[in-house]
Amino acid sequence: MISPGAAITPAAAGDGVEILRAGFGPGHRHGRCAVGDALRAIDDGGDLGRTVWLDTETTGLAGGTGTYAFLIGLAYWDGGQLVVEQLLLRRLSGERRLLTVLAERLAGARHLVTFNGQRFDWPIIEARFVLARQRPASFDAHTDLIYPARRLWHRVLGTHRLSTLEAEVLGAPRSRDVPGWEIPGIYVRYLRDTDRAALDPILVHNRADLLALVLLHGEVSRILRAPLDAGVALDWEGTGVLVGRRGAHAVAIECFERAMLGACEPGDRWRVLQKLTRAHRAAGDPDGARRRWEAEAGTWTRPDRFRAHVLEEVAKARARQHEIRGARAAVTEALSIVDGLLEESGSLRAARAAGMARLADRLRARLARLIERDREPSPGRETAGQHARRGA
Amino acid sequence: MTLEQILDAYRTRPRFARQFTAWRTFPAKPAQVAEFPEAMDARLRHALARCGIAQLYTHQARAFAEVQAGRDIVVVTPTASGKTLCYNLPVLDAILRGGGPRALYLFPTKALGADQVDELQQLIRSLEVEIGAYTYDGDTPGDARRTIRAAGHIVVTNPDMLHTAILPHHTKWLRLFENLRYVVLDELHHYRGVFGSHLANVLRRLERICRFYGSAPQFICCSATIGNTGEHAARLLERPVAVLDESGAPSGERTVAVYNPPVVNPALGIRRDAVRESVAVAEELLKGRVQTIFFARTRLRAELLTTYLREAARRQHLDPEAVCGYRAGYLPSERRTIEAGLRRGTVRAVAATNALELGIDIGHLSAAVLVGYPGTIASTWQQMGRAGRRADRSFAVLVATSGALDQFIATHPEYLFEQPVEQARINPDNLLVLASHVKCAAFELPLRDGETFGPNTLPEILAYLEEEGVLHHEDNAWHYVAEAYPAEGVSLRSASPENVVIIDTTDPRPRVIGEIDLPSAPAFVHEDAIYIHLGRQYHVDRLDWDERKAYVRQVDVDYYTDAQIAVGVRVLEEFARERDAAHGEAAVTFRPTIFKKLRLATHENVGFGTIHLPETTLHTTAAWWIFPRARVPEMDTDALEGALLGVAHALHNIAPLYLMTDPRDVGSTVEIRSPHTGEPTVTLFEEIPGGVGLAERLFALRGELLDRAAALVEGCGCEHGCPSCVGPVLELGPEAKRRTLRLLRDVCVPA
């Protein structure tokens, strides 16, 4: 919950729109995190003043032109504090004015930050602008934190809902919060009986969401800058993907190695190994990729389908580096594993056996190509020749 | 043997000659052509020339001129007369002229839409101009959708997508709606009954959205022949529409015949089975390698036909695989294969239901055999129109069943040739239909006070929706405030959108072989039913009603199954009553009871079983006739029930002729003592939720229908009653015919 320190002041009212404003100083804490630390971590190219965090409450969750955004919450950095401003639609007929105010607030902003806003909040606001015959605001960038949050935490927490992240990542569990699915009903009841007090829990909920959004943004920025010393539980595989996208391949490799420690099932190991060796290659280190496959072959010694696949990768990596004999050895072993498995295929399901037979065929073809290459005096020329033939 | 020789054989061989009750030959008709219109863009002329088109048919040229003049039009044309150019030419011409106009094409099914886009794109390619024409349907991937919204000059979709995906998200389609110049509605005749009533409302919503964005599109419609094309189009669009009904396309000489199978039991009035007889007639066509299409009334008959035709093909040394079935429930890929086979000529015979009646392109066939009267004159001509080549001779024959309507047509074939074609009926102001679209409309844009949307009952509907918490009135407008996405709860088609999937478990790896709509499932895939698919028999091992799955296994047995459904009716409100007849709102329940096992070929009963399935309820409108007990003291309960069933049978059979609708749109039931009237009662009800006005029409015709039913029973050549008049006499008792006549003539006084 928002600490009582923040003063909430009605900023304006009338024409069916109510505006509320609250300020949070840099020292304001929400769970483990402070506002000032979060904003420093975000930094945003030194242009924090042009970043707006946004979260809406709506009359429906399915979207479409009949869904009203009756409460639009904004957060921005202004005058040394984080300002949370809420635009509340007191009457549906006030929407035009609400959108005018919103357009004014967004006019100077260049960077929009939301949680699930790319699919939900922003399309609804755009539709509202079109319906009011106004031009929707535009941004240079829209960061939707739901995507990094999913990569970083979904597998660890079993969900990536904002309320769970708030509790587990920010260390600020909410109590007595109005459940999201009740919000449309409360607002529609308010439209009839105009009991304004009934909306207070929604306003509190929305402010909490906004503060959580800003602080989560801070956490995500901090973690991605130095994931290895993050100090919170992370899905290392997802973290590696995010870090890799930022070009930090060495860090990504380390993240994937940590993910390998927790991956016991062949399926999981296979998926992470693919990403890990790809990161090695992206870092300009194909040798590292080869060594990683070889290490896996050294670790996983059970003669099963997974080992056959790993050996195939070893062979491919070796062949790329013209270690033909080594590649042949790996393929030969893989083939003997698969042939062995096929012999017992009575116990395999038909589909599985068919997949296995395809793998065996592929390995045989690969082996034939390797034997062919092994005979050639100069592998380099042969490769060039093949290219020439293909080109012709 | 040529078709010519086969037709001669039919006329001369005693086996067949006697059974033809009508034989008419229509002369070949030469093409009527016109030069390219002056106003047409030169690039378009060149593109047409590149496609081998040097001139237009007169109807195409006229359509172009009418659209240029700013009129809404409906073009009525036979199958394969080049109707697509009627809309593609004006639309492409406008796009070439610039200014960024856009067009929306609506087809009743996804398959037809896909067909059209292929053809349209061919024409666009030869134009060598960048014009975006895309299908937008449930299969369109997410990123392609964005491209289509931003850049599609021509968006091809179906009414369901317009209803659920485009209109409720119109702000995303801003570019389309701001520039919408043309709306193309093909297969207009298809939009009748409940589907048409819904479509009319979807179009009301479309017009509203266009007004909001400042556009006012022109409508270009195409239709097969119906009795009231102009009126129907005007009712759908709610404005006058110019009718263009003179086709300039050529046609070869056509022979149209009616065939009544020989009587095998004169006392019972039973004729030889129409399916068997059709196969006998068709064997000559197979022998002569004449490509033929068969139309059956039901899926079961289509499958039986396929089975028998394959046997006939074997006898004629023709590959049995060249004979196919075609009906709803086949997978789309199976259908596409069969359509392509028909076009290439590798499929020599196809046994179809009316699933093939729609404008699906299967090329031109030489012969059409209609197994049973399709129910309306319009469908009869549409199905017969599948046989017809531009230059060569073609043949179409209707083979009558023993049913009353069929026998009426077979003995009065002039009805077919002289009676005007049926009219399409819709009722866009059906309260259920209207209210659901008012909801959708309010979701799309708040409804202003005084705004019109259909009839003037709007204020009451709005008040009702406010009470239900769906709408909120404020500042002279009605706003949508419910959480649910309204279009999702409204299906445009009469059939429920739900399906039962049919899974073949013969192989260890189960496989989906087809699907069936939910209301039909109890009758076709109940446990122990024999389900026939692509001519193969499957035994239904288990029907998982909650999961909507039927598990079947391939079998080879010599019988098929026929399910019995008990129908109950409860009157909810009586709208009007005149003496012994009334109409009103009713809840009809359907309870599956037993199924019969019938031997293939002979149809003899070889056993039965019970069906254990929940009953279903339909809220609809109905008309009923009362036969006061006191006026027939001489009949005991059994006798009375038999007579009531006879009345219901006759009324149910005669009603479609007056309603000009498909017999399957109406159902019937009898009660010895109706809880509502307290008397013996015969009820006819609409098979469409909420009804589309047929029951009211039945009530208006209450006296005439009784007279006509009596005339049908009296005029029938049978002794004690037969399926052609009062129904199967074995079930009704030998006195049924006399007693039915007594009820019809003396007992009910409808006015």
Short mmCIF file of all heavy atoms in Angstrom, two decimals, chain B residues 288-335:
data_model
loop_
_atom_site.label_atom_id
_atom_site.label_comp_id
_atom_site.label_asym_id
_atom_site.label_seq_id
_atom_site.Cartn_x
_atom_site.Cartn_y
_atom_site.Cartn_z
N GLY B 288 -22.15 -43.72 -70.05
CA GLY B 288 -21.77 -42.79 -71.12
C GLY B 288 -20.69 -41.81 -70.69
O GLY B 288 -20.35 -40.90 -71.42
N ARG B 289 -20.16 -42.00 -69.47
CA ARG B 289 -19.09 -41.13 -68.95
C ARG B 289 -19.51 -39.65 -68.94
O ARG B 289 -18.72 -38.75 -69.24
CB ARG B 289 -17.78 -41.28 -69.75
CG ARG B 289 -17.23 -42.71 -69.82
CD ARG B 289 -16.77 -43.18 -68.45
NE ARG B 289 -16.08 -44.45 -68.50
CZ ARG B 289 -16.65 -45.64 -68.21
NH1 ARG B 289 -17.92 -45.71 -67.88
NH2 ARG B 289 -15.93 -46.74 -68.25
N VAL B 290 -20.79 -39.43 -68.64
CA VAL B 290 -21.29 -38.05 -68.54
C VAL B 290 -21.07 -37.57 -67.11
O VAL B 290 -21.53 -38.21 -66.17
CB VAL B 290 -22.80 -38.00 -68.88
CG1 VAL B 290 -23.34 -36.58 -68.68
CG2 VAL B 290 -23.04 -38.48 -70.30
N GLN B 291 -20.35 -36.47 -66.97
CA GLN B 291 -20.05 -35.98 -65.61
C GLN B 291 -21.34 -35.46 -64.97
O GLN B 291 -22.03 -34.61 -65.53
CB GLN B 291 -19.01 -34.86 -65.68
CG GLN B 291 -18.25 -34.72 -64.37
CD GLN B 291 -17.30 -33.54 -64.38
OE1 GLN B 291 -17.39 -32.67 -65.25
NE2 GLN B 291 -16.39 -33.51 -63.41
N THR B 292 -21.67 -36.02 -63.80
CA THR B 292 -23.00 -35.80 -63.22
C THR B 292 -22.91 -35.40 -61.76
O THR B 292 -22.08 -35.92 -61.01
CB THR B 292 -23.84 -37.10 -63.33
OG1 THR B 292 -23.86 -37.52 -64.69
CG2 THR B 292 -25.27 -36.88 -62.85
N ILE B 293 -23.80 -34.48 -61.38
CA ILE B 293 -23.91 -34.14 -59.96
C ILE B 293 -25.27 -34.60 -59.44
O ILE B 293 -26.28 -34.48 -60.13
CB ILE B 293 -23.72 -32.62 -59.73
CG1 ILE B 293 -23.76 -32.31 -58.24
CG2 ILE B 293 -24.74 -31.78 -60.49
CD1 ILE B 293 -23.22 -30.94 -57.91
N PHE B 294 -25.27 -35.18 -58.25
CA PHE B 294 -26.50 -35.63 -57.60
C PHE B 294 -26.73 -34.76 -56.38
O PHE B 294 -25.79 -34.50 -55.62
CB PHE B 294 -26.37 -37.09 -57.14
CG PHE B 294 -26.19 -38.05 -58.28
CD1 PHE B 294 -24.96 -38.20 -58.89
CD2 PHE B 294 -27.26 -38.80 -58.73
CE1 PHE B 294 -24.79 -39.06 -59.95
CE2 PHE B 294 -27.11 -39.67 -59.79
CZ PHE B 294 -25.87 -39.81 -60.41
N PHE B 295 -27.97 -34.32 -56.19
CA PHE B 295 -28.29 -33.58 -54.97
C PHE B 295 -29.25 -34.39 -54.12
O PHE B 295 -30.29 -34.84 -54.62
CB PHE B 295 -28.94 -32.23 -55.31
CG PHE B 295 -27.95 -31.20 -55.75
CD1 PHE B 295 -27.83 -30.86 -57.08
CD2 PHE B 295 -27.15 -30.56 -54.81
CE1 PHE B 295 -26.92 -29.90 -57.48
CE2 PHE B 295 -26.24 -29.61 -55.21
CZ PHE B 295 -26.11 -29.27 -56.54
N ALA B 296 -28.90 -34.59 -52.87
CA ALA B 296 -29.78 -35.30 -51.95
C ALA B 296 -30.24 -34.33 -50.87
O ALA B 296 -29.55 -33.36 -50.57
CB ALA B 296 -29.04 -36.48 -51.32
N ARG B 297 -31.42 -34.60 -50.30
CA ARG B 297 -31.98 -33.70 -49.30
C ARG B 297 -31.24 -33.79 -47.97
O ARG B 297 -31.20 -32.84 -47.21
CB ARG B 297 -33.46 -34.05 -49.05
CG ARG B 297 -34.32 -33.77 -50.22
CD ARG B 297 -35.03 -32.45 -50.08
NE ARG B 297 -35.88 -32.40 -48.89
CZ ARG B 297 -36.13 -31.29 -48.22
NH1 ARG B 297 -35.57 -30.18 -48.59
NH2 ARG B 297 -36.93 -31.32 -47.17
N THR B 298 -30.75 -34.98 -47.65
CA THR B 298 -30.12 -35.15 -46.34
C THR B 298 -28.73 -35.71 -46.50
O THR B 298 -28.38 -36.28 -47.54
CB THR B 298 -30.93 -36.14 -45.47
OG1 THR B 298 -30.89 -37.42 -46.11
CG2 THR B 298 -32.37 -35.69 -45.31
N ARG B 299 -27.96 -35.55 -45.42
CA ARG B 299 -26.60 -36.09 -45.44
C ARG B 299 -26.63 -37.61 -45.58
O ARG B 299 -25.81 -38.19 -46.27
CB ARG B 299 -25.91 -35.75 -44.13
CG ARG B 299 -25.80 -34.28 -43.91
CD ARG B 299 -25.35 -34.04 -42.50
NE ARG B 299 -25.60 -32.64 -42.19
CZ ARG B 299 -25.15 -32.04 -41.12
NH1 ARG B 299 -24.42 -32.71 -40.25
NH2 ARG B 299 -25.41 -30.79 -40.90
N LEU B 300 -27.61 -38.22 -44.87
CA LEU B 300 -27.70 -39.67 -44.91
C LEU B 300 -27.92 -40.13 -46.35
O LEU B 300 -27.26 -41.04 -46.84
CB LEU B 300 -28.85 -40.14 -44.01
CG LEU B 300 -29.06 -41.64 -43.95
CD1 LEU B 300 -27.82 -42.33 -43.40
CD2 LEU B 300 -30.27 -41.97 -43.09
N ARG B 301 -28.87 -39.46 -47.05
CA ARG B 301 -29.14 -39.86 -48.42
C ARG B 301 -27.93 -39.64 -49.32
O ARG B 301 -27.66 -40.44 -50.21
CB ARG B 301 -30.33 -39.08 -48.97
CG ARG B 301 -31.61 -39.77 -48.65
CD ARG B 301 -32.63 -39.36 -49.69
NE ARG B 301 -33.93 -39.37 -49.05
CZ ARG B 301 -34.91 -38.54 -49.39
NH1 ARG B 301 -34.71 -37.64 -50.32
NH2 ARG B 301 -36.06 -38.62 -48.79
N ALA B 302 -27.20 -38.56 -49.09
CA ALA B 302 -26.00 -38.30 -49.90
C ALA B 302 -25.01 -39.44 -49.73
O ALA B 302 -24.39 -39.89 -50.69
CB ALA B 302 -25.37 -36.97 -49.52
N GLU B 303 -24.88 -39.92 -48.50
CA GLU B 303 -23.93 -41.00 -48.25
C GLU B 303 -24.42 -42.32 -48.85
O GLU B 303 -23.65 -43.08 -49.41
CB GLU B 303 -23.67 -41.16 -46.75
CG GLU B 303 -22.85 -40.02 -46.16
CD GLU B 303 -21.42 -39.95 -46.70
OE1 GLU B 303 -21.01 -40.89 -47.41
OE2 GLU B 303 -20.73 -38.96 -46.41
N LEU B 304 -25.74 -42.59 -48.72
CA LEU B 304 -26.29 -43.81 -49.33
C LEU B 304 -26.06 -43.78 -50.84
O LEU B 304 -25.65 -44.77 -51.44
CB LEU B 304 -27.78 -43.94 -49.02
CG LEU B 304 -28.16 -44.38 -47.61
CD1 LEU B 304 -29.67 -44.31 -47.41
CD2 LEU B 304 -27.65 -45.79 -47.32
N LEU B 305 -26.33 -42.61 -51.42
CA LEU B 305 -26.13 -42.45 -52.86
C LEU B 305 -24.70 -42.75 -53.26
O LEU B 305 -24.44 -43.45 -54.24
CB LEU B 305 -26.42 -41.00 -53.25
CG LEU B 305 -27.74 -40.68 -53.92
CD1 LEU B 305 -27.86 -39.18 -54.08
CD2 LEU B 305 -27.84 -41.34 -55.28
N THR B 306 -23.76 -42.20 -52.48
CA THR B 306 -22.35 -42.43 -52.78
C THR B 306 -22.06 -43.93 -52.80
O THR B 306 -21.41 -44.45 -53.71
CB THR B 306 -21.45 -41.73 -51.75
OG1 THR B 306 -21.92 -40.41 -51.57
CG2 THR B 306 -20.01 -41.70 -52.19
N THR B 307 -22.57 -44.62 -51.77
CA THR B 307 -22.34 -46.06 -51.67
C THR B 307 -22.88 -46.79 -52.91
O THR B 307 -22.18 -47.58 -53.53
CB THR B 307 -23.05 -46.60 -50.40
OG1 THR B 307 -22.67 -45.79 -49.31
CG2 THR B 307 -22.67 -48.04 -50.12
N TYR B 308 -24.15 -46.50 -53.26
CA TYR B 308 -24.77 -47.20 -54.39
C TYR B 308 -24.09 -46.82 -55.72
O TYR B 308 -23.92 -47.65 -56.60
CB TYR B 308 -26.25 -46.86 -54.47
CG TYR B 308 -27.07 -47.28 -53.26
CD1 TYR B 308 -28.26 -46.64 -52.96
CD2 TYR B 308 -26.65 -48.31 -52.41
CE1 TYR B 308 -29.02 -46.99 -51.85
CE2 TYR B 308 -27.40 -48.67 -51.30
CZ TYR B 308 -28.58 -48.01 -51.02
OH TYR B 308 -29.32 -48.36 -49.94
N LEU B 309 -23.73 -45.53 -55.83
CA LEU B 309 -23.12 -45.09 -57.10
C LEU B 309 -21.76 -45.75 -57.31
O LEU B 309 -21.38 -46.05 -58.44
CB LEU B 309 -22.96 -43.57 -57.12
CG LEU B 309 -24.25 -42.77 -57.38
CD1 LEU B 309 -24.02 -41.29 -57.13
CD2 LEU B 309 -24.73 -42.99 -58.82
N ARG B 310 -21.05 -45.98 -56.20
CA ARG B 310 -19.76 -46.66 -56.34
C ARG B 310 -19.95 -48.08 -56.83
O ARG B 310 -19.18 -48.57 -57.66
CB ARG B 310 -19.02 -46.63 -55.01
CG ARG B 310 -18.45 -45.27 -54.74
CD ARG B 310 -17.43 -45.27 -53.63
NE ARG B 310 -16.77 -43.97 -53.63
CZ ARG B 310 -16.14 -43.45 -52.58
NH1 ARG B 310 -16.05 -44.13 -51.47
NH2 ARG B 310 -15.58 -42.27 -52.68
N GLU B 311 -21.02 -48.73 -56.31
CA GLU B 311 -21.32 -50.08 -56.81
C GLU B 311 -21.62 -50.02 -58.31
O GLU B 311 -21.13 -50.83 -59.08
CB GLU B 311 -22.53 -50.67 -56.08
CG GLU B 311 -22.22 -51.07 -54.65
CD GLU B 311 -23.50 -51.33 -53.83
OE1 GLU B 311 -24.59 -51.41 -54.43
OE2 GLU B 311 -23.38 -51.42 -52.60
N ALA B 312 -22.43 -49.02 -58.69
CA ALA B 312 -22.79 -48.88 -60.11
C ALA B 312 -21.54 -48.61 -60.95
O ALA B 312 -21.39 -49.14 -62.06
CB ALA B 312 -23.81 -47.76 -60.29
N ALA B 313 -20.64 -47.79 -60.41
CA ALA B 313 -19.41 -47.47 -61.14
C ALA B 313 -18.61 -48.74 -61.41
O ALA B 313 -18.10 -48.95 -62.51
CB ALA B 313 -18.59 -46.47 -60.35
N ARG B 314 -18.54 -49.61 -60.38
CA ARG B 314 -17.81 -50.86 -60.56
C ARG B 314 -18.42 -51.67 -61.68
O ARG B 314 -17.70 -52.22 -62.52
CB ARG B 314 -17.84 -51.66 -59.25
CG ARG B 314 -16.56 -51.51 -58.46
CD ARG B 314 -16.58 -52.31 -57.16
NE ARG B 314 -16.03 -51.46 -56.12
CZ ARG B 314 -16.72 -50.96 -55.11
NH1 ARG B 314 -17.99 -51.25 -54.96
NH2 ARG B 314 -16.13 -50.18 -54.24
N ARG B 315 -19.75 -51.74 -61.71
CA ARG B 315 -20.44 -52.50 -62.77
C ARG B 315 -20.11 -51.92 -64.14
O ARG B 315 -20.03 -52.64 -65.13
CB ARG B 315 -21.95 -52.45 -62.57
CG ARG B 315 -22.46 -53.37 -61.48
CD ARG B 315 -23.99 -53.53 -61.58
NE ARG B 315 -24.73 -52.31 -61.34
CZ ARG B 315 -25.07 -51.87 -60.11
NH1 ARG B 315 -24.71 -52.56 -59.04
NH2 ARG B 315 -25.75 -50.75 -59.97
N GLN B 316 -19.91 -50.58 -64.19
CA GLN B 316 -19.64 -49.93 -65.49
C GLN B 316 -18.14 -49.79 -65.75
O GLN B 316 -17.74 -49.02 -66.61
CB GLN B 316 -20.31 -48.56 -65.53
CG GLN B 316 -21.82 -48.60 -65.41
CD GLN B 316 -22.48 -49.43 -66.50
OE1 GLN B 316 -21.91 -49.61 -67.57
NE2 GLN B 316 -23.66 -49.95 -66.21
N HIS B 317 -17.34 -50.55 -64.98
CA HIS B 317 -15.88 -50.54 -65.16
C HIS B 317 -15.31 -49.14 -65.04
O HIS B 317 -14.42 -48.75 -65.79
CB HIS B 317 -15.48 -51.18 -66.49
CG HIS B 317 -16.17 -52.49 -66.71
ND1 HIS B 317 -15.90 -53.59 -65.94
CD2 HIS B 317 -17.16 -52.84 -67.57
CE1 HIS B 317 -16.67 -54.58 -66.32
NE2 HIS B 317 -17.46 -54.15 -67.30
N LEU B 318 -15.87 -48.39 -64.10
CA LEU B 318 -15.39 -47.04 -63.85
C LEU B 318 -14.74 -47.11 -62.46
O LEU B 318 -15.21 -47.84 -61.59
CB LEU B 318 -16.60 -46.10 -63.83
CG LEU B 318 -16.35 -44.61 -63.87
CD1 LEU B 318 -15.84 -44.21 -65.24
CD2 LEU B 318 -17.67 -43.89 -63.59
N ASP B 319 -13.68 -46.37 -62.28
CA ASP B 319 -13.00 -46.38 -60.98
C ASP B 319 -13.95 -45.85 -59.90
O ASP B 319 -14.45 -44.73 -60.01
CB ASP B 319 -11.76 -45.46 -61.07
CG ASP B 319 -11.05 -45.36 -59.74
OD1 ASP B 319 -11.39 -46.13 -58.82
OD2 ASP B 319 -10.14 -44.51 -59.63
N PRO B 320 -14.27 -46.66 -58.89
CA PRO B 320 -15.21 -46.19 -57.86
C PRO B 320 -14.73 -44.92 -57.16
O PRO B 320 -15.54 -44.15 -56.65
CB PRO B 320 -15.28 -47.34 -56.86
CG PRO B 320 -14.56 -48.48 -57.47
CD PRO B 320 -13.76 -48.00 -58.63
N GLU B 321 -13.43 -44.70 -57.17
CA GLU B 321 -12.91 -43.49 -56.53
C GLU B 321 -13.28 -42.23 -57.30
O GLU B 321 -13.14 -41.13 -56.80
CB GLU B 321 -11.38 -43.57 -56.38
CG GLU B 321 -10.91 -44.67 -55.42
CD GLU B 321 -11.45 -44.49 -54.01
OE1 GLU B 321 -11.35 -43.36 -53.47
OE2 GLU B 321 -12.02 -45.46 -53.46
N ALA B 322 -13.74 -42.41 -58.55
CA ALA B 322 -14.18 -41.25 -59.34
C ALA B 322 -15.57 -40.80 -58.92
O ALA B 322 -16.11 -39.85 -59.45
CB ALA B 322 -14.15 -41.57 -60.82
N VAL B 323 -16.16 -41.50 -57.93
CA VAL B 323 -17.46 -41.11 -57.38
C VAL B 323 -17.22 -40.61 -55.96
O VAL B 323 -16.58 -41.28 -55.17
CB VAL B 323 -18.43 -42.31 -57.34
CG1 VAL B 323 -19.74 -41.90 -56.69
CG2 VAL B 323 -18.66 -42.85 -58.74
N CYS B 324 -17.72 -39.40 -55.65
CA CYS B 324 -17.46 -38.81 -54.34
C CYS B 324 -18.74 -38.34 -53.69
O CYS B 324 -19.73 -38.06 -54.37
CB CYS B 324 -16.56 -37.58 -54.48
SG CYS B 324 -14.89 -38.00 -54.87
N GLY B 325 -18.69 -38.22 -52.39
CA GLY B 325 -19.75 -37.53 -51.67
C GLY B 325 -19.31 -36.09 -51.43
O GLY B 325 -18.15 -35.75 -51.62
N TYR B 326 -20.25 -35.23 -51.02
CA TYR B 326 -19.89 -33.85 -50.71
C TYR B 326 -21.00 -33.30 -49.83
O TYR B 326 -22.15 -33.22 -50.25
CB TYR B 326 -19.79 -33.02 -51.98
CG TYR B 326 -19.22 -31.62 -51.78
CD1 TYR B 326 -17.94 -31.32 -52.19
CD2 TYR B 326 -19.99 -30.62 -51.19
CE1 TYR B 326 -17.41 -30.05 -52.02
CE2 TYR B 326 -19.47 -29.35 -51.00
CZ TYR B 326 -18.18 -29.07 -51.43
OH TYR B 326 -17.67 -27.81 -51.26
N ARG B 327 -20.67 -32.95 -48.61
CA ARG B 327 -21.70 -32.42 -47.72
C ARG B 327 -21.04 -31.68 -46.57
O ARG B 327 -19.81 -31.77 -46.41
CB ARG B 327 -22.56 -33.56 -47.17
CG ARG B 327 -21.74 -34.59 -46.38
CD ARG B 327 -22.65 -35.53 -45.63
NE ARG B 327 -21.94 -36.64 -45.03
CZ ARG B 327 -21.34 -36.58 -43.84
NH1 ARG B 327 -21.33 -35.46 -43.14
NH2 ARG B 327 -20.72 -37.64 -43.36
N ALA B 328 -21.85 -30.96 -45.80
CA ALA B 328 -21.34 -30.32 -44.60
C ALA B 328 -20.81 -31.42 -43.69
O ALA B 328 -21.35 -32.52 -43.67
CB ALA B 328 -22.46 -29.57 -43.89
N GLY B 329 -19.73 -31.16 -42.99
CA GLY B 329 -19.18 -32.16 -42.09
C GLY B 329 -17.91 -32.79 -42.66
O GLY B 329 -17.13 -33.37 -41.93
N TYR B 330 -17.69 -32.66 -43.99
CA TYR B 330 -16.40 -33.07 -44.53
C TYR B 330 -15.39 -32.01 -44.15
O TYR B 330 -15.74 -30.83 -44.02
CB TYR B 330 -16.45 -33.18 -46.06
CG TYR B 330 -17.11 -34.43 -46.59
CD1 TYR B 330 -17.84 -35.26 -45.75
CD2 TYR B 330 -16.99 -34.79 -47.92
CE1 TYR B 330 -18.45 -36.40 -46.24
CE2 TYR B 330 -17.60 -35.93 -48.42
CZ TYR B 330 -18.33 -36.73 -47.57
OH TYR B 330 -18.93 -37.85 -48.06
N LEU B 331 -14.15 -32.41 -44.01
CA LEU B 331 -13.13 -31.43 -43.66
C LEU B 331 -12.88 -30.52 -44.88
O LEU B 331 -13.00 -30.96 -46.01
CB LEU B 331 -11.84 -32.15 -43.27
CG LEU B 331 -11.99 -33.07 -42.05
CD1 LEU B 331 -10.71 -33.84 -41.80
CD2 LEU B 331 -12.38 -32.28 -40.81
N PRO B 332 -12.50 -29.26 -44.62
CA PRO B 332 -12.26 -28.33 -45.73
C PRO B 332 -11.30 -28.89 -46.78
O PRO B 332 -11.51 -28.73 -47.98
CB PRO B 332 -11.69 -27.10 -45.05
CG PRO B 332 -12.22 -27.16 -43.66
CD PRO B 332 -12.36 -28.61 -43.32
N SER B 333 -10.25 -29.58 -46.33
CA SER B 333 -9.27 -30.09 -47.29
C SER B 333 -9.90 -31.15 -48.19
O SER B 333 -9.64 -31.21 -49.39
CB SER B 333 -8.07 -30.67 -46.55
OG SER B 333 -8.50 -31.65 -45.63
N GLU B 334 -10.77 -31.99 -47.59
CA GLU B 334 -11.45 -33.02 -48.40
C GLU B 334 -12.31 -32.35 -49.45
O GLU B 334 -12.36 -32.76 -50.61
CB GLU B 334 -12.33 -33.89 -47.50
CG GLU B 334 -11.55 -34.86 -46.64
CD GLU B 334 -12.45 -35.59 -45.63
OE1 GLU B 334 -13.62 -35.20 -45.43
OE2 GLU B 334 -11.97 -36.55 -45.04
N ARG B 335 -12.99 -31.28 -49.03
CA ARG B 335 -13.88 -30.59 -49.97
C ARG B 335 -13.09 -29.98 -51.12
O ARG B 335 -13.50 -30.08 -52.28
CB ARG B 335 -14.61 -29.47 -49.24
CG ARG B 335 -15.64 -29.94 -48.25
CD ARG B 335 -16.64 -28.85 -48.18
NE ARG B 335 -17.42 -28.87 -46.97
CZ ARG B 335 -18.46 -28.08 -46.80
NH1 ARG B 335 -18.77 -27.20 -47.73
NH2 ARG B 335 -19.16 -28.13 -45.71
#
